[in-house]
Amino acid sequence: HRYFSHRTFRTSRVVQFVFAALGSMAVQRGPLWWAAHHRHHHAHSDDESDSHSPHQHGFFWSHIGWFMNKRNFGTRTELVADLAKYPELRFLDRFDVVMPVALSAVLFAIGGGRWLIWGFFISTVVLYHATFTVNSLAHVFGRRRYATRDHSRNNWFLALVTFGEGW
């Protein structure tokens, strides 16, 4: 998140690919799609063009509806031109099921159905909801330390659940 969406640090191309591959296992589409959506969100947080603002579209839509809606499936590569120049990232973005399927196969090979169910399916659903609470709940509940043009808030509970992203 910090690397792809905010470019807060630099790293090698190999580490960039490893980050993208690991992030792709979260089954939240490809790295370019994710970074483009996140960059757009920060540029338009809680205004009409923010696809997951609870203030514009309601709680359910901001939590998961936007992610499931077909009009949000495409990757806006113009927002991530700096990343789209790497063919390996374009590959992971275009074939975003490769890494989740590989992870599922490895989990099943190691531990059978139990590992697949707990290590992939249940953990992915929990991860989805933890991630999406930052879009929905963290723009409604919590403390605002600074006056900003959006409705984002710091929420200590969400920060614990999301390893800091709710802050």
Side-chain angles (χ1 to χ4, degrees), residues 44-160:
H44 302 280
S45 188
D46 289 326
D47 72 17
E48 288 182 18
S49 67
D50 183 0
S51 59
H52 48 72
S53 169
H55 298 278
Q56 298 293 328
H57 311 290
F59 175 81
F60 179 78
W61 182 266
S62 72
H63 189 70
I64 200 161
W66 72 276
F67 185 76
M68 305 304 271
N69 190 285
K70 232 178 183 169
R71 74 174 170 216
N72 292 316
F73 279 20
T75 301
R76 296 183 56 192
T77 53
E78 72 275 9
L79 298 176
V80 288
D82 57 321
L83 298 170
K85 66 183 178 184
Y86 298 106
E88 62 273 17
L89 296 183
R90 288 194 315 271
F91 174 83
L92 286 174
D93 200 70
R94 180 166 183 204
F95 300 102
D96 59 354
V97 299
V98 169
M99 294 308 295
V101 168
L103 174 62
S104 299
V106 168
L107 289 170
F108 186 76
I110 293 171
R114 187 171 292 163
W115 277 44
L116 178 63
I117 290 168
W118 284 99
F120 183 75
F121 291 110
I122 292 174
S123 66
T124 298
V125 170
V126 170
L127 174 67
Y128 267 26
H129 288 290
T131 301
F132 296 155
T133 60
V134 176
N135 300 335
S136 56
L137 296 178
H139 281 250
V140 177
F141 301 107
R143 287 188 49 221
R144 296 191 68 202
R145 294 180 63 194
Y146 305 102
T148 60
R149 63 176 180 79
D150 63 17
H151 296 278
S152 62
R153 299 165 186 284
N154 291 327
N155 185 305
W156 67 269
F157 178 74
L158 296 180
L160 288 175

